[in-house]
Amino acid sequence: MSELEQLRQEAEQLRNQIRDARKACNDSSLSQITAGLDSVGRIQMRTRRTLRGHLAKIYAMQWATDSRLLVSASQDGKLIIWDSYSTNKIHAIPLRSSWVMTCAYAPSGSYAACGGLDNICSIYSLKTREGNVRVTRELSGHTGYLSCCRFLDDSQIVTSSGDTTCALWDIETGQQTTTFTGHTGDVMSLSLSPDSRTFVSGACDASSKLWDIRDGMCRQSFTGHVSDINAVIFFPNGNAFTTGSDDATCRLFDLRADQELMMYSHDNINCGITSVAFSKSGRLLLAGYDDFNCNVWDTLKGERAGVLAGHDNRVSCLGISSDGMALATGSWDSFLRIWN
Amino acid sequence: MSGSSNIVAMKKIVQQLRFEANINRVKVSQAAAELQQFCIQNALQDPLLTGVSSSTNPFRTQKVCSFL
């Protein structure tokens, strides 16, 4: 037997070992455990604010940690910082490349970042001495589009790319500190763990992976989806995460059990999920869909608890503020809505 | 040569699988119970779950101020 053939066999054996180990832990299900729990009932939310100003499809948004400001990115070539309470625009930042696919707000509130088909993650200083907003770094190195970026702090940012890798960058030097390789398809989304030690990525290879930020290792890999994963988000306690996919399902994966615990789907739902978020307790899972709606799911019981209709085009992004007070949705209809 | 690079790539895949195979796993019953517990413990601090009263809602309908 050739060495290559031996290695292939060993890989097959290891995959079977993982499958068997997961099965051995599969002594129950989340549905069974929560069978006696009261359902959340009907969850209804109203649009409280409509943020108008973008002139083209909105592709991404993120709340600032103050739960009041938020940043959105549109292919009209602008990054807008909004005051969601008043709907005022704090900054309207013209981008060097209008093909933006992601944006992020630094936890300190001092920086924003964005990137897209230019393959670059651009860092913007929002609090310059002169009072204007300017690019302070252009992080280049990815050989594919920038699909997602998230600040660890003012000096470090994690990115995911169509080149199948993720990277941790030192913003000061502009260099990649760590490269995370392993996915075999475009990486579409990432989510930082609450303790910032790990992150989860979702890719077009239909798998999601847990990465150790410090040593660059992939700790766990999860399969189950049958099409591209477009969105990932950590459960608030850091022990689980949910993914949203083109296969019209969201799935909850538990890190400690190393397997899928729940699938959120319905026969009437046949379109892809673009974005996912958890409410503050994790009990509600919010998901944005290609059919212009946002569905509210009971995370523990797997039932749909509500539908948020209002956008006139695909919901491309959404996020819940850190105080848990509001959901923001962004759409291809060029508007953002704030709901609660 | 593509032959040896295939072997190098496969060795990496095998090494990664070995690593992932060796992690400690917890029973689903325990993991699920802990997720449920977290949700229950934090339910009252979850405004979208409990509903937001208009007095505490920073996004309540903007009213026009009037001088009394």
Side-chain angles (χ1 to χ4, degrees):
Chain A
M1 204 188 303
S2 70
E3 188 178 0
L4 193 60
E5 194 46 44
Q6 265 181 298
L7 288 168
R8 281 214 185 96
Q9 279 206 359
E10 195 173 351
E12 188 61 22
Q13 277 164 5
L14 287 164
R15 285 195 187 97
N16 289 339
Q17 198 180 311
I18 291 171
R19 182 202 59 205
D20 294 342
R22 284 171 170 163
K23 221 182 265 184
C25 285
N26 200 4
D27 62 338
S28 183
S29 72
L30 183 57
S31 300
Q32 276 175 270
I33 297 291
T34 61
L37 187 66
D38 282 340
S39 146
V40 294
R42 186 135 199 85
I43 299 286
Q44 283 174 312
M45 295 187 212
R46 276 211 181 90
T47 297
R48 303 289 176 188
R49 299 284 187 274
T50 303
L51 306 182
R52 298 181 170 87
H54 278 303
L55 303 173
K57 296 175 175 170
I58 291 170
Y59 275 82
M61 65 76 51
Q62 191 180 21
W63 284 97
T65 48
D66 68 2
S67 299
R68 177 170 181 156
L69 301 185
L70 61 92
V71 63
S72 61
S74 162
Q75 291 201 350
D76 64 3
K78 290 261 184 351
L79 215 58
I80 298 182
I81 310 283
W82 309 82
D83 173 346
S84 64
Y85 289 7
S86 65
T87 75
N88 289 341
K89 298 173 193 47
I90 309 295
H91 298 292
I93 307 160
L95 304 176
R96 286 180 191 180
S97 162
S98 65
W99 304 112
V100 66
M101 296 174 66
T102 181
C103 63
Y105 218 130
S108 68
S110 300
Y111 297 92
C114 69
L117 295 182
D118 58 353
N119 302 357
I120 294 171
C121 182
S122 299
I123 310 291
Y124 292 82
S125 172
L126 304 176
K127 301 191 173 167
T128 62
R129 242 176 300 149
E130 299 78 39
N132 60 341
V133 173
R134 58 183 179 83
V135 177
T136 52
R137 274 295 172 271
E138 286 187 325
L139 307 174
S140 51
H142 277 304
T143 55
Y145 60 84
L146 200 81
S147 54
C148 193
C149 57
R150 285 292 177 259
F151 281 93
L152 274 172
D153 52 47
D154 284 357
S155 56
Q156 299 180 96
I157 192 165
V158 183
T159 57
S160 62
S161 170
D163 69 9
T164 77
T165 72
C166 297
L168 169 69
W169 303 77
D170 177 329
I171 295 174
E172 189 62 30
T173 63
Q175 298 304 306
Q176 284 191 8
T177 310
T178 313
T179 311
F180 304 89
T181 56
H183 275 299
T184 55
D186 300 11
V187 188
M188 300 305 294
S189 181
L190 71 96
S191 175
L192 300 178
S193 62
D195 68 5
S196 299
R197 293 213 198 125
T198 60
F199 71 93
V200 159
S201 61
C204 291
D205 59 12
S207 80
S208 45
K209 289 176 185 288
L210 175 75
W211 306 88
D212 183 311
I213 291 182
R214 202 91 51 84
D215 65 22
M217 298 284 294
C218 169
R219 300 219 160 280
Q220 288 169 257
S221 294
F222 301 85
T223 54
H225 279 294
V226 298
S227 187
D228 300 357
I229 293 173
N230 298 316
V232 287
I233 191 77
F234 256 100
F235 184 83
N237 74 355
N239 288 338
F241 66 92
T242 284
T243 49
S245 164
D246 274 349
D247 70 8
T249 73
C250 294
R251 292 169 200 243
L252 176 73
F253 294 92
D254 188 281
L255 296 181
R256 280 133 28 87
D258 188 41
Q259 56 193 280
E260 181 181 316
L261 292 193
M262 185 73 84
M263 186 168 76
Y264 307 91
S265 66
H266 195 281
D267 289 338
N268 294 346
I269 300 174
N270 297 307
C271 63
I273 289 104
T274 60
S275 43
V276 286
F278 278 111
S279 69
K280 202 156 164 70
S281 68
R283 185 66 194 269
L284 301 179
L285 169 68
L286 286 300
Y289 290 73
D290 285 345
D291 69 359
F292 311 176
N293 290 328
C294 190
N295 284 319
V296 186
W297 297 91
D298 179 336
T299 305
L300 297 180
K301 295 179 85 78
E303 300 159 351
R304 183 158 50 164
V307 182
L308 306 178
H311 280 294
D312 296 322
N313 206 323
R314 177 184 290 195
V315 176
S316 55
C317 54
L318 54 79
I320 290 183
S321 53
S322 42
D323 64 2
M325 271 292 175
L327 164 74
T329 53
S331 167
W332 279 10
D333 68 8
S334 81
F335 303 119
L336 290 137
R337 285 169 179 258
I338 312 292
W339 312 73
N340 66 17
Chain B
M1 190 163 72
S2 77
S4 58
S5 70
N6 276 346
I7 289 181
V8 168
M10 268 319 288
K11 276 191 178 161
K12 268 204 198 131
I13 289 175
V14 167
Q15 188 178 49
Q16 178 62 34
L17 283 169
R18 224 179 258 146
F19 186 75
E20 290 181 25
N22 283 336
I23 64 162
N24 288 324
R25 293 174 180 82
V26 148
K27 291 259 194 294
V28 166
S29 55
Q30 185 188 336
E34 290 179 21
L35 283 179
Q36 178 177 242
Q37 187 63 0
F38 183 87
C39 287
I40 291 171
Q41 277 171 345
N42 291 281
L44 294 179
Q45 278 77 50
D46 186 343
L48 294 180
L49 181 63
T50 59
V52 193
S53 71
S54 49
S55 53
T56 53
N57 189 357
F59 297 100
R60 65 184 167 278
T61 321
Q62 290 161 302
K63 288 197 172 71
V64 177
C65 292
S66 54
F67 289 94
L68 298 171

